[in-house]
């Protein structure tokens, strides 16, 4: 059964600054508690990542993912192929400028390979959303300073 999680926050930065931070996938292990490694396999003509190989660790379980990124003016999406731990994954960042701030909405759907107890699922969602939003906000703010 697919698991969904989402969070929305305001970040004091432009959509471009946020997307630039997300595009720097090689830096993910330095600010995301989930990522152990991230390697860009190929890029779009504008230099943004297209296919990325990552190693993630969540709740003591390590998984290797092959992600396909897609980019728009105010959004970014990735999809993961099947791995040992999951049947698939889809994640989206949607950015809405509001004056000097940007509303950032992150949505993720993961289809685990096996059932996960509710208490572990709740904890995993919190960890993923913390990395995807709160740590992203810290990284964007640090990059601006």
């Amino acid at each position: 059964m697919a698991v969904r999680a989402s969070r929305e926050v305001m970040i004091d930065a432009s959509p471009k600054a946020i997307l630039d931070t997300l595009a720097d996938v090689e830096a993910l292990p330095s600010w995301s508690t989930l990522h152990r490694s991230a390697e860009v396999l190929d890029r779009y003509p504008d230099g943004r990542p297209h296919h990325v190989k990552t190693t993630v660790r969540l709740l003591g379980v390590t998984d290797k993912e092959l992600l396909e990124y897609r980019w728009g003016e105010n959004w970014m999406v990735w999809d993961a192929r099947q791995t040992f731990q999951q049947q698939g994954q889809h994640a989206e960042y949607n950015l809405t400028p509001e004056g000097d701030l940007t509303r950032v909405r992150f949505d993720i759907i993961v289809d685990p390979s096996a059932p996960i107890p509710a208490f572990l699922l709740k904890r995993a969602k919190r960890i993923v959303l913390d990395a995807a939003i709160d740590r992203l906000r810290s990284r964007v703010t640090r990059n601006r300073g």
Side-chain angles (χ1 to χ4, degrees):
M1 180 170 84
V3 177
R4 300 170 185 267
S6 63
R7 185 176 291 170
E8 187 173 282
V9 297
M10 299 297 286
I11 296 180
D12 187 10
S14 69
K16 181 186 180 321
I18 295 165
L19 288 173
D20 287 350
T21 299
L22 291 169
D24 186 12
V25 296
E26 293 94 345
L28 268 171
S30 71
W31 60 269
S32 169
T33 54
L34 301 173
H35 291 84
R36 298 301 179 248
S37 68
E39 176 189 357
V40 176
L41 302 177
D42 62 357
R43 296 178 182 275
Y44 288 100
D46 67 0
R48 289 206 166 143
H50 183 203
H51 292 99
V52 175
K53 185 169 55 172
T54 65
T55 301
V56 294
R57 185 166 175 85
L58 178 62
L59 300 176
V61 177
T62 301
D63 203 10
K64 294 183 183 294
E65 301 174 334
L66 178 58
L67 308 174
E68 180 178 6
Y69 281 72
R70 293 184 308 284
W71 303 87
E73 184 178 346
N74 288 325
W75 56 269
M76 183 270 282
V77 171
W78 79 70
D79 288 290
R81 295 190 181 167
Q82 183 176 355
T83 68
F84 185 72
Q85 301 296 333
Q86 61 189 1
Q87 297 298 315
Q89 179 184 127
H90 175 82
E92 300 180 8
Y93 280 95
N94 289 288
L95 313 177
T96 306
E98 295 186 11
D100 292 338
L101 303 175
T102 300
R103 181 177 303 281
V104 178
R105 180 172 176 87
F106 176 75
D107 295 281
I108 188 166
I109 302 168
V110 178
D111 189 4
S113 295
I116 300 172
F119 76 97
L120 283 178
L121 197 55
K122 184 177 179 180
R123 186 168 167 218
K125 285 181 181 183
R126 188 175 62 247
I127 292 167
V128 168
L129 293 173
D130 174 67
I133 289 292
D134 299 330
R135 291 184 178 270
L136 170 66
R137 179 175 31 200
S138 296
R139 178 68 176 198
V140 169
T141 303
R142 197 170 339 137
N143 285 348
R144 289 187 47 221

